[in-house]
């Protein structure tokens, strides 16, 4: 088989695939009536496409791609606010490169940079801190973006800035959390999900207990997974076995990296610096209760929203998504990316219309990048 | 940005700020070690860690580090992380406009 060479341990992969088929048959899963498993993390989405796992597994297993790509769920209004801050006099706006091409209402950060704003791509909030130290006469703003994996990094950076008494460093906080959108999805009466693959690196920070409600309140299995192909296949098997046995539990396939209690230092820093917003807007999913974090009042001096009076600090606002964009329907698993009228027409990785086309972890970009290659392989 | 990359801690650079030098795929980069600190910082020298946006988040063994790096390379994420590190360095050195 062609795929075999791509796996570190093709024999093990074959064995797991065979067991997946056995269990799927035992459950009675078919192409018409599949078991739907959502992989929450965008890194998993990328890996599933990269290795064609959705094609390798039994036809009765369907992957639904979850909302776990922070770039993809960033609403247009937040991009506009970034541009607004970046274009202020004296500001150095720093961001992860991933966010540069996300379209805003008028422009992306990339376009704002081309227009003269001082926007710099950095690897880490530590780079932004260093820029603030080196440029005391400038305002250095870091665009804090991401789930619980990156939240500790900005929390620790703000603590460090406070210790040093830096006056010209602030964070535009857009950190979001994984459990709340999952709860929102599970509350949707049209929800058809049978189980979940839980994010590995997010769980390294928060542990596995924040997912207990998925098993206890909603009776769905969830297995926290690593992102190597064999990790993912094993996790699919573990979800299927739970369904076959009528169990709903939180299991940890990635225990070699994920401790059940998470990382205590990270959790303490997050709790010290951040509190939950009453609600936060997600692209394609709308406002979700308690799903976003904001900087606590005691660190207000490091909160760009307060410093520049933008975003939630400036009052309620909502920017509708662009015409013809189906990102919301794709993100909730209602349609496949290829069913969007803009897919490959108005929307490609070079000229993304929707956020799902921007990042390699977005479902649309993954379809675009890998669907063609795999189609050709199948025809060989 | 979401997936960590393995790196080896090669020296402690600033105990007060909890900073260390790490080597990631042959590239040296200063990182924060607060989240993996458990006792004297010097004991971390030589250890492998999963590094997320400049912060060591979890200690891993050498074999896990090698296999994770391999998976990241296949996904193109390792190259992305290294490019981002280079961008970060450039951002610091960019002249004042
Ligand atoms: S093709 Fe573009 S517009 Fe359509 S759902 Fe995907 S990202 Fe959104």
């Amino acid at each position: 088989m062609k795929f075999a060479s791509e796996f570190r341990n093709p024999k093990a992969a074959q064995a797991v695939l065979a067991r997946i088929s056995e269990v799927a048959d035992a459950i009675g899963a078919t192409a018409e009536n599949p078991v739907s498993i959502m992989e929450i993390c965008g890194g998993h989405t990328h890996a599933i496409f990269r290795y064609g796992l959705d094609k390798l597994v039994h036809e009765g297993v369907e992957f639904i791609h979850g909302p776990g790509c922070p770039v993809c769920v960033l609403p247009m209004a937040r991009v506009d606010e970034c541009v607004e801050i970046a274009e202020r006099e004296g500001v150095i706006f720093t961001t992860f490169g991933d966010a540069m091409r996300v379209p805003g209402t008028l422009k992306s950060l990339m376009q704002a940079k081309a227009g003269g704003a001082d926007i710099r791509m950095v690897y880490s909030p530590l780079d932004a801190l260093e820029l603030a130290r080196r440029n005391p006469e400038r305002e250095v703003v870091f665009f804090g973006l991401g789930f619980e994996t990156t939240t500790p990094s900005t929390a620790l950076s703000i603590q460090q800035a406070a210790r040093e008494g830096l006056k010209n460093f602030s964070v535009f906080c857009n950190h979001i959390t994984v459990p709340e959108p999952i709860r929102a999805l599970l509350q949707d009466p049209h929800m058809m999900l049978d189980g979940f693959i839980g994010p590995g690196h997010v769980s390294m920070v928060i542990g596995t207990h924040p997912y207990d409600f998925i098993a206890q309140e909603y009776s769905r299995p969830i297995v926290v997974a690593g992102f190597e192909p064999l990790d993912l296949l094993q996790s699919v098997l573990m979800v299927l076995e739970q369904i076959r046995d009528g169990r709903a539990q939180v299991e940890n396939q990635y225990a070699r990296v994920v401790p059940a209690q998470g990382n205590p230092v990270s959790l303490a820093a997050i709790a010290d610096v951040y509190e939950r917003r009453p609600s936060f807007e997600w692209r394609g999913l709308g406002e979700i209760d308690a799903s976003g974090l904001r900087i606590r009042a005691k660190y207000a001096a490091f909160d760009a929203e307060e410093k520049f009076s933008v975003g939630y600090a400036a009052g309620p606002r909502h920017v509708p998504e662009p015409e013809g964009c189906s990102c919301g329907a794709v993100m909730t698993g209602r349609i496949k990316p290829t069913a969007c009228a803009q897919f490959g027409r108005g929307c490609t990785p070079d000229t993304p219309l929707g956020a799902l086309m921007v990042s390699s972890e977005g479902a649309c970009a993954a379809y675009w990048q890998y669907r063609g290659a795999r189609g050709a392989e199948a025809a060989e | 940005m979401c997936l960590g990359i393995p790196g080896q801690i090669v020296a402690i650079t600033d105990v007060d700020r909890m900073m260390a030098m790490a080597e990631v795929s042959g590239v040296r980069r200063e990182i924060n070690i607060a989240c993996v600190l458990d006792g004297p910082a010097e004991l971390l020298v030589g250890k492998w860690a999963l590094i997320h946006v400049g912060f060591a988040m979890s200690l891993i063994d050498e074999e896990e580090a090698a296999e994770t790096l391999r998976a990241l390379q296949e996904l193109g994420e390792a190259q992305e992380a290294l490019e981002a590190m280079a961008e970060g360095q450039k951002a610091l050195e960019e002249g004042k406009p």
Side-chain angles (χ1 to χ4, degrees):
Chain A
M1 262 177 124
K2 186 151 200 304
F3 82 87
S5 61
E6 302 238 297
F7 285 82
R8 180 166 60 236
N9 189 340
K11 273 223 179 72
Q14 301 268 25
V16 178
L17 281 167
R19 284 174 62 200
I20 286 175
S21 294
E22 260 168 51
V23 181
D25 283 336
I27 298 170
T30 60
E32 294 72 39
N33 189 16
V35 173
S36 297
I37 300 177
M38 172 175 275
E39 85 279 1
I40 297 169
C41 166
H44 284 159
T45 302
H46 186 182
I48 286 168
F49 279 97
R50 168 69 181 78
Y51 296 102
L53 300 185
D54 55 333
K55 297 286 174 235
L56 288 175
V57 295
H58 185 277
E59 57 175 12
V61 177
E62 188 170 8
F63 288 103
I64 308 287
H65 315 301
C69 160
V71 172
C72 302
V73 297
L74 190 67
M76 267 197 167
R78 295 304 269 183
V79 179
D80 292 346
E81 286 153 13
C82 285
V83 171
E84 194 187 326
I85 296 172
E87 289 181 341
R88 298 268 176 107
E89 196 58 39
V91 165
I92 300 176
F93 192 86
T94 57
T95 175
F96 295 132
D98 313 49
M100 288 295 282
R101 293 189 306 124
V102 185
T105 316
L106 293 175
K107 49 186 146 180
S108 64
L109 283 168
M110 186 84 97
Q111 288 161 326
K113 184 179 168 78
D118 191 351
I119 299 174
R120 303 188 194 181
M121 283 186 264
V122 293
Y123 165 63
S124 165
L126 296 171
D127 298 334
L129 262 184
E130 185 56 27
L131 269 172
R133 293 185 193 113
R134 292 189 192 180
N135 299 274
E137 72 298 345
R138 304 280 302 274
E139 272 295 332
V140 177
V141 182
F142 180 72
F143 182 21
L145 179 68
F147 287 100
E148 290 90 336
T149 348
T150 54
T151 313
S153 69
T154 53
L156 289 161
S157 297
I158 288 173
Q159 287 178 329
Q160 180 63 32
R163 273 194 296 272
E164 291 177 36
L166 282 177
K167 298 266 179 287
N168 62 330
F169 173 80
S170 60
V171 172
F172 182 46
C173 177
N174 287 269
H175 288 301
I176 45 180
T177 58
V178 161
E180 285 66 27
I182 301 308
R183 185 183 286 279
L185 288 171
L186 284 166
Q187 281 166 349
D188 184 336
H190 303 296
M191 167 57 43
M192 303 282 284
L193 296 175
D194 299 301
F196 293 89
I197 305 283
H201 288 169
V202 161
S203 309
M204 175 180 78
V205 173
I206 66 174
T208 57
H209 295 301
Y211 309 123
D212 287 347
F213 76 94
I214 297 175
Q216 286 163 12
E217 293 173 41
Y218 295 93
S219 306
R220 300 293 202 287
I222 173 165
V223 177
V224 172
F227 55 89
E228 292 181 52
L230 197 54
D231 289 332
L232 280 160
L233 290 179
Q234 260 159 5
S235 302
V236 168
L237 177 62
M238 288 164 79
V239 169
L240 291 174
E241 285 174 340
Q242 286 199 40
I243 294 173
R244 181 197 60 196
D245 303 344
R247 288 180 288 130
Q249 291 167 336
V250 182
E251 291 183 308
N252 187 358
Q253 186 274 337
Y254 199 32
R256 61 189 196 271
V257 168
V258 173
Q261 308 298 337
N263 182 289
V265 177
S266 302
L267 291 173
I270 293 173
D272 177 48
V273 172
Y274 295 117
E275 62 188 2
R276 285 178 188 276
R277 298 176 193 266
S279 80
F280 194 75
E281 186 188 352
W282 295 58
R283 190 186 288 239
L285 300 174
E287 293 277 344
I288 300 177
D289 287 350
S291 63
L293 302 178
R294 70 178 171 212
I295 296 168
R296 287 185 189 276
K298 66 171 171 172
Y299 290 109
F302 305 98
D303 185 349
E305 262 179 281
E306 295 294 331
K307 220 172 194 173
F308 301 95
S309 295
V310 296
Y312 285 77
R317 79 278 178 273
H318 174 77
V319 180
E321 293 305 314
E323 196 79 25
C325 163
S326 310
C327 288
V330 171
M331 214 171 314
T332 48
R334 275 177 284 147
I335 66 166
K336 295 272 173 207
T338 40
C340 173
Q342 296 290 350
F343 185 85
R345 298 187 183 88
C347 186
T348 63
D350 287 331
T351 54
L353 179 68
L356 293 176
M357 196 58 102
V358 173
S359 155
S360 57
E361 299 182 356
C364 293
Y367 256 71
W368 180 264
Q369 190 182 351
Y370 295 114
R371 196 43 45 126
R374 204 163 53 236
E377 231 168 70
E380 270 176 27
Chain B
M1 142 193 138
C2 299
L3 298 177
I5 187 165
Q8 187 174 29
I9 298 169
V10 293
I12 305 300
T13 50
D14 185 335
V15 180
D16 292 338
R17 286 182 183 165
M18 293 177 273
M19 299 294 286
M21 188 58 73
E23 196 169 301
V24 181
S25 279
V27 176
R28 286 191 168 215
R29 154 89 214 190
E30 206 174 20
I31 60 161
N32 180 292
I33 49 172
C35 297
V36 294
L37 209 51
D38 182 19
E42 289 70 38
L43 295 182
L44 289 174
V45 174
K47 296 247 166 84
W48 288 84
L50 260 185
I51 300 166
H52 282 260
V53 298
F55 290 73
M57 297 299 299
S58 171
L59 294 179
I60 52 179
D61 63 35
E62 192 171 350
E63 193 188 335
E64 174 69 19
E67 313 216 318
T68 302
L69 192 62
R70 196 187 106 119
L72 288 170
Q73 275 161 349
E74 285 181 355
L75 287 173
E77 301 271 350
Q79 299 83 316
E80 251 176 52
L82 292 172
E83 277 164 28
M85 284 181 200
E87 280 294 337
Q89 197 52 40
K90 222 171 73 193
L92 291 182
E93 281 149 20
E94 231 166 86
K96 296 166 199 177

